[in-house]
Amino acid sequence: MQKVTRSTIIDAPIDRVWAILRDFNSHDQWHDVVDASHIEGREQSDQVGCIRSFTLKDGNRIREQLLTLSDREYKSTYCIVEATVPLQRYVATVTLKPVTDGARTFWHWQSTFDTPPGMERELRDMVAQGVYEAGFENLRSHLRQGGDLRGGSQRSDGHAGMPTALPIPTRRVGLRRYGDASVLAGHDAQAPAPAAGEVRIRQRAIGVNFIDIYLRKGWILSMLPVSDAAPGVLGMEAAGTVIDVGSNARGLLPGDRVAYLGPTPGAYCTVRTVPADWVVRLPPAVEDETAAALLLKGLTADYLLRDLGAVGPGTRLLVHAAAGGVGLLLCSWARRIGAVVVGTVSSEAKARVAREHGCEHVIVTRDYQFAAAVQSACGGADVVVDGLGDAAREENLAALARRGHWISLGQASGMLAPLAPDALLGKSLTFSRPVVFDYIADYAQLTERVGRVWEALANGSIKAPLIERYPLEAAAQAHIRLESRQTIGPLILIA
Ligand SMILES: NC(=O)c1ccc[n+]([C@@H]2O[C@H](COP(=O)([O-])OP(=O)(O)OC[C@H]3O[C@@H](n4cnc5c(N)ncnc54)[C@H](OP(=O)(O)O)[C@@H]3O)[C@@H](O)[C@H]2O)c1
């Protein structure tokens, strides 16, 4: 019987370390040797008996079963059920203890196992160094990225609280019928206690997006049903502080500063309970207001430039509403990548700001006439990012270069009428109708994209947003402003 024992001190509070380690399916987020992991058969990842099935980056496959889990003792035991590595009768125990100064954690990891004859040393070294010692380092860097190692802690003790099963009062802004901004009105409600996989958030800042206007007008009925008894609540994203969490909450803890976005509206409120899968912790450098202003729009810019638009050096990119929330991010990030950025705006004031954000060729037009100017500026666009919709339809087709890609992002001017495939034939064009939520549908993608947005903010690829702020109860005013075509940059509501 072989025995491997390793221990270390982690410079972070025990609750933070345990929140990660008690989740039997968290290791693909922090341990570098693990490629992908899932829990078999819909069980919770802290359910004793559950099996995690994972692949290692070297191609090996392992199934492990959780045998014990004690939140009181900060201890878990697990064993290998099946593996392509020759570890036999492998049983491991993870134990944490608080270091006496309170903010550090002692982590003990040990296992016993058998090996085929002659492989004892090789497998002992693999477990000791490749799994345990590397794991210690990997968890440290995971915590460091989240600002959790000592000196970088971002917890705000003022809001840390014990989980409570009680609902908490919340103030929401919603609508009982579709219509103009006057349909928006505040009402009192309750935010339910978080169930498994959920967190309850005291919101500070809420992002306003153009989709909020489509929903308010009743253009996407399936996303926002409304009635007198159950007003529809708008809002796809917000930032704030975690009040309490259910089990399996992605390592989130009360007091964490977080931001979220998700495909179900409901963010226009003071307290909201949401799936932990939507939520990311905020680095210390990113304020709540900045996060609410940037999260959805920044992720949109990321998938548009990096994936869907495949924008690179020399790509001729046409950005409509170039001084808008998404528009300014696209201009500066695309310019940094080396694209030729052409933008449309409706005023000279907006043109100035778009230029300052890297838009090389700015076309000022209020009535969606831009194709000739695009052709003369760059010979046609390889990619058009179009949030305008119907009024710009024919001009978009005319502005595109041969084999150009029309990305229909939104419909600020009105819903795009159906497009016949043959409209694309003349220049071998392609047409896409994407939604941001499909580009962050799994948690690893969400965190990867979010990381890139904060990095872009830190390295100047995108500028700090020019934020226009309104109190939550004045959401109607924010809508009126956004629809007026007067705004530059993003709008947020302060809860
Ligand atoms: N599909 C997705 O994944 C996704 C994600 C985020 C955003 N979007 C879309 O991206 C676009 C930009 O969103 P945003 O939130 O950043 O808004 P925004 O660009 O800050 O505001 C919309 C802008 O659209 C322009 N516009 C043109 N005609 C308009 C009209 N008739 N009424 C109102 N505005 C008009 C205005 O700029 P000018 O006056 O300068 O023309 C206005 O400032 C929207 O279409 C939105 O739906 C889509």
Side-chain angles (χ1 to χ4, degrees), residues 208-214 217 296-297 300-301 303-304 320-328 344-347 350 365-366 368 385-389 391 408-414 433-437 439 481-491:
V208 177
N209 292 285
F210 221 91
I211 190 174
D212 305 349
I213 291 171
Y214 311 146
K217 288 180 172 173
L296 188 148
K297 298 173 185 74
T300 300
Y303 84 75
L304 288 172
H320 290 312
V326 175
L328 287 177
T344 67
V345 294
S346 61
S347 70
K350 289 186 174 192
T365 170
R366 225 187 135 69
Y368 316 104
V385 176
D386 169 33
L388 301 180
S408 172
L409 196 68
Q411 44 205 23
S413 78
R433 191 77 175 93
V435 180
V436 62
F437 302 108
Y439 287 82
R481 274 283 289 168
L482 188 55
E483 287 174 285
S484 75
R485 300 182 71 171
Q486 307 268 309
T487 55
I488 292 179
L491 288 75

Side-chain angles (χ1 to χ4, degrees), residues 93-385:
T93 304
V94 165
T95 314
L96 303 184
K97 292 199 183 301
V99 175
T100 36
D101 76 358
R104 296 196 291 168
T105 302
F106 176 73
W107 175 1
H108 184 78
W109 203 348
Q110 102 173 26
S111 57
T112 53
F113 52 88
D114 288 330
T115 71
M119 294 189 74
E120 295 83 358
R121 182 168 187 162
E122 181 191 335
L123 289 171
R124 267 203 321 268
D125 286 354
M126 184 198 82
V127 172
Q129 287 146 28
V131 183
Y132 297 178
E133 290 173 17
F136 294 153
E137 270 321 299
N138 293 163
L139 193 86
R140 277 195 187 93
S141 46
H142 181 74
L143 290 163
R144 194 172 295 115
Q145 277 165 20
D148 270 315
L149 281 197
R150 234 169 29 164
S153 173
Q154 56 164 341
R155 298 206 33 207
S156 125
D157 290 336
H159 294 281
M162 293 300 288
T164 156
L166 298 175
I168 293 180
T170 179
R171 183 80 182 155
R172 293 177 177 155
V173 171
L175 49 147
R176 293 181 160 81
R177 61 187 169 79
Y178 304 114
D180 64 19
S182 67
V183 299
L184 294 177
H187 65 273
D188 292 321
Q190 301 284 323
E198 289 186 336
V199 291
R200 185 157 49 180
I201 298 169
R202 169 68 182 88
Q203 305 198 143
R204 306 268 166 225
I206 300 151
V208 177
N209 292 285
F210 221 91
I211 190 174
D212 305 349
I213 291 171
Y214 311 146
L215 292 173
R216 193 203 69 213
K217 288 180 172 173
W219 285 4
I220 318 176
L221 294 174
S222 59
M223 261 178 93
L224 190 77
V226 305
S227 70
D228 277 330
V233 179
L234 298 172
M236 315 308 293
E237 63 175 337
T241 306
V242 172
I243 299 171
D244 49 11
V245 302
S247 57
N248 296 321
R250 295 244 172 239
L252 294 163
L253 287 176
D256 282 346
R257 274 194 336 107
V258 294
Y260 71 85
L261 77 167
T264 309
Y268 283 18
C269 63
T270 54
V271 179
R272 190 176 182 199
T273 307
V274 296
D277 284 353
W278 296 3
V279 182
V280 292
R281 295 174 55 236
L282 290 177
V286 179
E287 302 284 345
D288 294 0
E289 294 189 3
T290 307
L294 271 190
L295 189 64
L296 188 148
K297 298 173 185 74
L299 296 173
T300 300
D302 182 68
Y303 84 75
L304 288 172
L305 297 175
R306 190 185 162 90
D307 301 287
L308 189 61
V311 171
T315 304
R316 296 162 297 177
L317 174 71
L318 173 58
V319 179
H320 290 312
V326 175
L328 287 177
L329 299 176
L330 283 172
C331 289
S332 47
W333 213 343
R335 187 68 181 272
R336 180 64 73 99
I337 290 168
V340 178
V341 185
V342 184
T344 67
V345 294
S346 61
S347 70
E348 289 299 339
K350 289 186 174 192
R352 213 171 25 253
V353 180
R355 269 186 214 104
E356 286 163 10
H357 283 71
C359 188
E360 205 174 332
H361 306 279
V362 185
I363 300 162
V364 181
T365 170
R366 225 187 135 69
D367 54 2
Y368 316 104
Q369 297 301 305
F370 50 82
V374 174
Q375 291 291 352
S376 80
C378 64
D382 300 308
V383 178
V384 175
V385 176

